[in-house]
Short mmCIF file of all heavy atoms in Angstrom, two decimals:
data_model
loop_
_atom_site.label_atom_id
_atom_site.label_comp_id
_atom_site.label_asym_id
_atom_site.label_seq_id
_atom_site.Cartn_x
_atom_site.Cartn_y
_atom_site.Cartn_z
N LEU A 295 26.92 8.94 -17.21
CA LEU A 295 26.91 10.07 -18.01
C LEU A 295 25.58 10.26 -18.66
O LEU A 295 25.06 11.39 -18.80
CB LEU A 295 28.01 10.00 -19.09
CG LEU A 295 29.50 10.23 -18.54
CD1 LEU A 295 30.39 9.92 -19.72
CD2 LEU A 295 29.68 11.52 -18.02
N LEU A 296 24.89 9.30 -19.17
CA LEU A 296 23.70 9.41 -19.76
C LEU A 296 22.45 9.59 -18.78
O LEU A 296 21.55 10.46 -19.20
CB LEU A 296 23.29 8.22 -20.49
CG LEU A 296 24.21 7.78 -21.79
CD1 LEU A 296 23.83 6.43 -22.32
CD2 LEU A 296 24.03 8.77 -22.97
N ASN A 297 22.55 9.12 -17.64
CA ASN A 297 21.36 9.13 -16.67
C ASN A 297 21.56 9.87 -15.49
O ASN A 297 20.64 10.10 -14.67
CB ASN A 297 20.90 7.81 -16.44
CG ASN A 297 20.57 6.84 -17.59
OD1 ASN A 297 19.58 7.09 -18.16
ND2 ASN A 297 21.37 5.93 -18.02
N GLY A 298 22.77 10.42 -15.08
CA GLY A 298 23.00 11.21 -14.02
C GLY A 298 23.40 10.38 -12.60
O GLY A 298 23.89 11.12 -11.84
N GLU A 299 23.13 9.16 -12.53
CA GLU A 299 23.46 8.41 -11.42
C GLU A 299 24.07 7.03 -11.78
O GLU A 299 23.88 6.49 -12.81
CB GLU A 299 22.21 8.06 -10.55
CG GLU A 299 21.46 9.36 -10.05
CD GLU A 299 22.32 10.08 -8.98
OE1 GLU A 299 23.35 9.55 -8.48
OE2 GLU A 299 22.08 11.29 -8.72
N LEU A 300 24.83 6.41 -10.91
CA LEU A 300 25.44 5.15 -11.02
C LEU A 300 24.25 4.14 -10.99
O LEU A 300 23.27 4.29 -10.27
CB LEU A 300 26.49 4.80 -9.97
CG LEU A 300 27.80 5.56 -10.10
CD1 LEU A 300 28.56 5.39 -8.87
CD2 LEU A 300 28.56 5.04 -11.36
N PRO A 301 24.30 3.16 -11.79
CA PRO A 301 23.14 2.28 -11.95
C PRO A 301 23.16 1.21 -10.80
O PRO A 301 24.29 0.72 -10.32
CB PRO A 301 23.52 1.46 -13.29
CG PRO A 301 25.03 1.54 -13.35
CD PRO A 301 25.38 2.85 -12.81
N SER A 302 22.10 0.68 -10.46
CA SER A 302 22.04 -0.48 -9.61
C SER A 302 22.44 -1.68 -10.33
O SER A 302 22.66 -1.67 -11.61
CB SER A 302 20.55 -0.72 -9.09
OG SER A 302 19.70 -1.03 -10.16
N ALA A 303 22.71 -2.92 -9.79
CA ALA A 303 23.04 -4.10 -10.44
C ALA A 303 21.90 -4.57 -11.60
O ALA A 303 22.26 -4.80 -12.62
CB ALA A 303 23.14 -5.24 -9.47
N GLY A 304 20.61 -4.29 -11.27
CA GLY A 304 19.66 -4.64 -12.27
C GLY A 304 19.67 -3.56 -13.38
O GLY A 304 19.54 -3.99 -14.52
N GLU A 305 19.86 -2.37 -13.05
CA GLU A 305 19.93 -1.37 -14.11
C GLU A 305 21.16 -1.49 -15.06
O GLU A 305 20.92 -1.35 -16.20
CB GLU A 305 19.96 0.13 -13.42
CG GLU A 305 18.64 0.45 -12.79
CD GLU A 305 18.77 1.75 -11.93
OE1 GLU A 305 19.90 2.00 -11.47
OE2 GLU A 305 17.73 2.42 -11.69
N LEU A 306 22.22 -1.98 -14.42
CA LEU A 306 23.50 -2.09 -15.23
C LEU A 306 23.27 -3.22 -16.14
O LEU A 306 23.65 -3.17 -17.33
CB LEU A 306 24.61 -2.35 -14.32
CG LEU A 306 25.99 -2.60 -15.03
CD1 LEU A 306 26.37 -1.32 -16.05
CD2 LEU A 306 27.12 -2.83 -14.04
N ALA A 307 22.69 -4.36 -15.59
CA ALA A 307 22.43 -5.60 -16.42
C ALA A 307 21.49 -5.29 -17.60
O ALA A 307 21.69 -5.67 -18.71
CB ALA A 307 21.77 -6.74 -15.61
N GLY A 308 20.39 -4.46 -17.26
CA GLY A 308 19.54 -4.05 -18.37
C GLY A 308 20.15 -3.15 -19.42
O GLY A 308 19.92 -3.41 -20.63
N PHE A 309 21.09 -2.27 -18.96
CA PHE A 309 21.76 -1.42 -19.86
C PHE A 309 22.72 -2.22 -20.80
O PHE A 309 22.80 -2.03 -21.96
CB PHE A 309 22.64 -0.35 -19.06
CG PHE A 309 23.26 0.65 -20.00
CD1 PHE A 309 22.54 1.57 -20.73
CD2 PHE A 309 24.62 0.61 -19.93
CE1 PHE A 309 23.14 2.62 -21.43
CE2 PHE A 309 25.18 1.71 -20.73
CZ PHE A 309 24.59 2.61 -21.58
N ASN A 310 23.52 -3.11 -20.10
CA ASN A 310 24.36 -3.87 -20.84
C ASN A 310 23.66 -4.88 -22.00
O ASN A 310 24.06 -4.98 -23.11
CB ASN A 310 25.10 -4.91 -19.97
CG ASN A 310 26.38 -4.40 -19.32
OD1 ASN A 310 27.16 -3.63 -19.95
ND2 ASN A 310 26.61 -4.66 -18.11
N HIS A 311 22.43 -5.33 -21.56
CA HIS A 311 21.57 -6.15 -22.52
C HIS A 311 21.30 -5.28 -23.72
O HIS A 311 21.33 -5.70 -24.88
CB HIS A 311 20.42 -6.58 -21.81
CG HIS A 311 19.46 -7.34 -22.68
ND1 HIS A 311 19.70 -8.74 -22.99
CD2 HIS A 311 18.41 -6.97 -23.28
CE1 HIS A 311 18.76 -9.18 -23.76
NE2 HIS A 311 17.92 -8.17 -24.00
N THR A 312 20.81 -3.94 -23.43
CA THR A 312 20.45 -3.10 -24.52
C THR A 312 21.57 -2.77 -25.53
O THR A 312 21.34 -2.82 -26.73
CB THR A 312 19.86 -1.71 -23.89
OG1 THR A 312 18.66 -2.04 -23.05
CG2 THR A 312 19.38 -0.77 -24.90
N ILE A 313 22.73 -2.42 -24.86
CA ILE A 313 23.88 -2.11 -25.79
C ILE A 313 24.21 -3.36 -26.47
O ILE A 313 24.55 -3.10 -27.69
CB ILE A 313 25.01 -1.68 -24.92
CG1 ILE A 313 24.67 -0.27 -24.17
CG2 ILE A 313 26.21 -1.35 -25.76
CD1 ILE A 313 24.29 0.87 -24.99
N SER A 314 24.32 -4.48 -25.95
CA SER A 314 24.75 -5.65 -26.59
C SER A 314 23.81 -6.02 -27.86
O SER A 314 24.28 -6.66 -28.79
CB SER A 314 24.81 -6.80 -25.74
OG SER A 314 23.64 -7.26 -25.23
N ARG A 315 22.60 -5.61 -27.77
CA ARG A 315 21.62 -5.81 -28.83
C ARG A 315 21.65 -4.90 -29.97
O ARG A 315 20.96 -5.01 -31.03
CB ARG A 315 20.11 -5.82 -28.22
CG ARG A 315 19.94 -7.13 -27.35
CD ARG A 315 20.24 -8.36 -27.92
NE ARG A 315 20.05 -9.61 -27.20
CZ ARG A 315 21.00 -10.13 -26.27
NH1 ARG A 315 22.14 -9.41 -26.19
NH2 ARG A 315 20.76 -11.16 -25.65
N HIS A 316 22.52 -3.95 -29.90
CA HIS A 316 22.71 -2.91 -30.90
C HIS A 316 24.03 -2.90 -31.47
O HIS A 316 24.47 -2.10 -32.25
CB HIS A 316 22.54 -1.48 -30.32
CG HIS A 316 20.98 -1.13 -30.20
ND1 HIS A 316 20.19 -1.05 -31.20
CD2 HIS A 316 20.32 -0.85 -28.96
CE1 HIS A 316 18.89 -0.78 -30.74
NE2 HIS A 316 19.16 -0.58 -29.48
N THR A 317 24.99 -3.94 -31.21
CA THR A 317 26.30 -3.95 -31.63
C THR A 317 26.51 -4.35 -33.16
O THR A 317 27.54 -3.80 -33.61
CB THR A 317 27.18 -5.06 -30.87
OG1 THR A 317 26.45 -6.37 -30.91
CG2 THR A 317 27.34 -4.67 -29.36
N MET A 318 25.61 -4.93 -33.80
CA MET A 318 25.79 -5.19 -35.19
C MET A 318 25.38 -4.05 -35.94
O MET A 318 24.64 -3.16 -35.57
CB MET A 318 24.75 -6.35 -35.62
CG MET A 318 25.34 -7.62 -35.02
SD MET A 318 24.18 -9.08 -35.53
CE MET A 318 24.67 -9.19 -37.31
N VAL A 319 26.00 -3.87 -37.12
CA VAL A 319 25.66 -2.77 -38.11
C VAL A 319 24.92 -3.29 -39.24
O VAL A 319 25.05 -4.62 -39.64
CB VAL A 319 26.87 -1.94 -38.58
CG1 VAL A 319 27.54 -1.24 -37.34
CG2 VAL A 319 27.92 -2.88 -39.32
N HIS A 320 24.16 -2.59 -40.00
CA HIS A 320 23.39 -2.98 -41.20
C HIS A 320 24.48 -3.67 -42.20
O HIS A 320 25.51 -3.09 -42.45
CB HIS A 320 22.66 -1.85 -41.79
CG HIS A 320 21.73 -2.12 -42.81
ND1 HIS A 320 21.91 -2.64 -44.03
CD2 HIS A 320 20.33 -2.06 -42.70
CE1 HIS A 320 20.97 -2.94 -44.59
NE2 HIS A 320 19.77 -2.54 -43.94
N GLU A 321 24.03 -4.77 -42.61
CA GLU A 321 24.96 -5.50 -43.53
C GLU A 321 25.44 -4.65 -44.79
O GLU A 321 26.53 -4.76 -45.19
CB GLU A 321 24.32 -6.89 -43.90
CG GLU A 321 25.33 -7.84 -44.55
CD GLU A 321 26.53 -8.30 -43.73
OE1 GLU A 321 26.39 -8.05 -42.44
OE2 GLU A 321 27.58 -8.79 -44.07
N GLN A 322 24.54 -3.84 -45.22
CA GLN A 322 24.82 -3.01 -46.40
C GLN A 322 25.93 -2.02 -46.12
O GLN A 322 26.69 -1.53 -47.09
CB GLN A 322 23.58 -2.20 -46.83
CG GLN A 322 23.62 -1.66 -48.20
CD GLN A 322 23.63 -2.77 -49.40
OE1 GLN A 322 23.32 -3.85 -49.20
NE2 GLN A 322 24.30 -2.29 -50.50
N LEU A 323 26.12 -1.68 -44.70
CA LEU A 323 27.00 -0.66 -44.40
C LEU A 323 28.51 -1.22 -44.73
O LEU A 323 29.39 -0.42 -44.82
CB LEU A 323 26.96 -0.40 -42.87
CG LEU A 323 27.68 0.87 -42.43
CD1 LEU A 323 26.98 2.19 -42.96
CD2 LEU A 323 27.59 0.99 -40.82
N SER A 324 28.57 -2.47 -44.68
CA SER A 324 29.97 -3.12 -44.86
C SER A 324 30.47 -2.78 -46.32
O SER A 324 31.60 -2.69 -46.53
CB SER A 324 29.91 -4.58 -44.57
OG SER A 324 29.11 -5.30 -45.62
N LYS A 325 29.47 -2.55 -47.23
CA LYS A 325 29.83 -2.18 -48.55
C LYS A 325 30.58 -0.86 -48.58
O LYS A 325 31.25 -0.57 -49.73
CB LYS A 325 28.65 -2.24 -49.51
CG LYS A 325 27.91 -3.49 -49.51
CD LYS A 325 28.49 -4.59 -50.39
CE LYS A 325 27.64 -5.69 -50.75
NZ LYS A 325 26.95 -6.37 -49.68
N PHE A 326 30.31 0.02 -47.70
CA PHE A 326 30.96 1.33 -47.66
C PHE A 326 32.48 1.23 -47.65
O PHE A 326 33.20 2.07 -48.28
CB PHE A 326 30.54 2.21 -46.39
CG PHE A 326 29.27 2.99 -46.72
CD1 PHE A 326 28.02 2.36 -47.15
CD2 PHE A 326 29.17 4.32 -46.42
CE1 PHE A 326 26.92 3.13 -47.33
CE2 PHE A 326 28.15 5.11 -46.73
CZ PHE A 326 26.97 4.39 -47.09
N PHE A 327 32.93 0.31 -46.92
CA PHE A 327 34.33 0.18 -46.67
C PHE A 327 35.18 -0.16 -48.02
O PHE A 327 36.13 0.39 -48.22
CB PHE A 327 34.78 -0.86 -45.75
CG PHE A 327 34.25 -0.61 -44.23
CD1 PHE A 327 33.12 -0.66 -43.88
CD2 PHE A 327 35.20 0.03 -43.42
CE1 PHE A 327 32.65 -0.32 -42.65
CE2 PHE A 327 34.83 0.32 -42.08
CZ PHE A 327 33.54 0.22 -41.72
N SER A 328 34.54 -0.81 -48.87
CA SER A 328 35.25 -1.18 -50.23
C SER A 328 35.56 0.16 -51.00
O SER A 328 36.19 0.12 -51.98
CB SER A 328 34.47 -2.34 -50.94
OG SER A 328 33.00 -1.76 -51.30
N GLY A 329 34.71 1.10 -50.77
CA GLY A 329 34.78 2.38 -51.59
C GLY A 329 36.13 3.13 -51.10
O GLY A 329 36.46 4.17 -51.77
N PHE A 330 36.82 2.82 -49.91
CA PHE A 330 37.85 3.61 -49.48
C PHE A 330 39.19 2.79 -49.92
O PHE A 330 39.17 1.54 -50.13
CB PHE A 330 38.01 3.64 -47.92
CG PHE A 330 36.93 4.39 -47.28
CD1 PHE A 330 35.73 3.88 -46.86
CD2 PHE A 330 37.21 5.77 -47.10
CE1 PHE A 330 34.77 4.74 -46.31
CE2 PHE A 330 36.13 6.56 -46.54
CZ PHE A 330 34.95 6.06 -46.13
N ARG A 331 40.22 3.47 -50.12
CA ARG A 331 41.61 2.88 -50.33
C ARG A 331 41.90 2.16 -49.21
O ARG A 331 41.66 2.48 -48.01
CB ARG A 331 42.56 3.95 -50.87
CG ARG A 331 42.52 4.60 -52.01
CD ARG A 331 43.35 5.80 -52.26
NE ARG A 331 44.73 5.64 -51.79
CZ ARG A 331 45.82 6.06 -52.44
NH1 ARG A 331 45.68 6.59 -53.59
NH2 ARG A 331 47.00 5.84 -51.92
N ARG A 332 42.70 1.04 -49.42
CA ARG A 332 43.16 0.21 -48.25
C ARG A 332 44.10 0.98 -47.32
O ARG A 332 44.14 0.79 -46.19
CB ARG A 332 43.97 -1.01 -48.92
CG ARG A 332 43.06 -2.11 -49.50
CD ARG A 332 42.31 -2.83 -48.40
NE ARG A 332 41.42 -3.93 -49.07
CZ ARG A 332 40.65 -4.77 -48.43
NH1 ARG A 332 40.60 -4.74 -46.98
NH2 ARG A 332 39.96 -5.62 -48.92
N ASP A 333 44.75 1.91 -47.95
CA ASP A 333 45.73 2.72 -47.09
C ASP A 333 45.04 4.06 -46.51
O ASP A 333 45.74 4.88 -46.01
CB ASP A 333 47.02 3.10 -47.74
CG ASP A 333 46.72 3.95 -49.08
OD1 ASP A 333 45.56 4.15 -49.46
OD2 ASP A 333 47.71 4.47 -49.70
N ALA A 334 43.76 4.13 -46.63
CA ALA A 334 43.02 5.25 -46.05
C ALA A 334 43.15 5.24 -44.58
O ALA A 334 43.18 4.34 -43.98
CB ALA A 334 41.56 5.32 -46.52
N HIS A 335 43.37 6.53 -44.06
CA HIS A 335 43.39 6.62 -42.61
C HIS A 335 42.11 6.25 -41.96
O HIS A 335 41.06 6.65 -42.44
CB HIS A 335 43.82 8.23 -42.25
CG HIS A 335 44.27 8.37 -40.86
ND1 HIS A 335 43.51 8.18 -39.63
CD2 HIS A 335 45.55 8.65 -40.47
CE1 HIS A 335 44.28 8.35 -38.57
NE2 HIS A 335 45.45 8.55 -39.01
N PRO A 336 42.23 5.39 -40.93
CA PRO A 336 41.02 4.85 -40.30
C PRO A 336 40.11 6.00 -39.72
O PRO A 336 38.81 5.93 -39.58
CB PRO A 336 41.45 4.03 -39.14
CG PRO A 336 42.95 4.25 -38.98
CD PRO A 336 43.35 4.79 -40.29
N MET A 337 40.66 7.15 -39.45
CA MET A 337 39.79 8.31 -39.02
C MET A 337 38.89 8.89 -40.25
O MET A 337 37.84 9.30 -39.94
CB MET A 337 40.53 9.52 -38.42
CG MET A 337 41.01 8.98 -36.98
SD MET A 337 39.64 9.04 -35.81
CE MET A 337 39.24 10.76 -35.53
N ALA A 338 39.52 8.77 -41.39
CA ALA A 338 38.81 9.20 -42.53
C ALA A 338 37.56 8.21 -42.80
O ALA A 338 36.40 8.65 -43.06
CB ALA A 338 39.60 9.20 -43.83
N VAL A 339 37.79 7.02 -42.60
CA VAL A 339 36.75 5.88 -42.67
C VAL A 339 35.78 6.21 -41.54
O VAL A 339 34.57 6.11 -41.83
CB VAL A 339 37.35 4.62 -42.53
CG1 VAL A 339 36.27 3.49 -42.54
CG2 VAL A 339 38.39 4.25 -43.63
N MET A 340 36.05 6.55 -40.40
CA MET A 340 35.20 6.66 -39.20
C MET A 340 34.35 7.91 -39.59
O MET A 340 33.10 7.86 -39.29
CB MET A 340 36.05 6.96 -38.03
CG MET A 340 36.68 5.82 -37.36
SD MET A 340 35.67 4.44 -36.72
CE MET A 340 34.92 5.20 -35.36
#
């Protein structure tokens, strides 16, 4: 979807590597969650 063509094995490996290096979020972002009620709808949080 992003690039217009299916990836080769090497391109897919590189893409997987890139995505996996961005999976963490800024630690300060975790503080946002404590501002929501525990029963808040998860879509509101999203």
Side-chain angles (χ1 to χ4, degrees):
L295 289 171
L296 291 173
N297 299 288
E299 298 292 342
L300 287 169
S302 65
E305 288 168 335
L306 181 60
F309 184 70
N310 275 321
H311 178 83
T312 299
I313 297 300
S314 68
R315 293 306 178 274
H316 285 297
T317 52
M318 293 181 66
V319 296
H320 197 290
E321 192 65 16
Q322 195 68 23
L323 195 69
S324 64
K325 303 284 195 305
F326 270 56
F327 290 83
S328 60
F330 292 96
R331 288 170 45 142
R332 286 283 180 182
D333 60 353
H335 196 290
M337 282 295 282
V339 176
M340 291 291 291

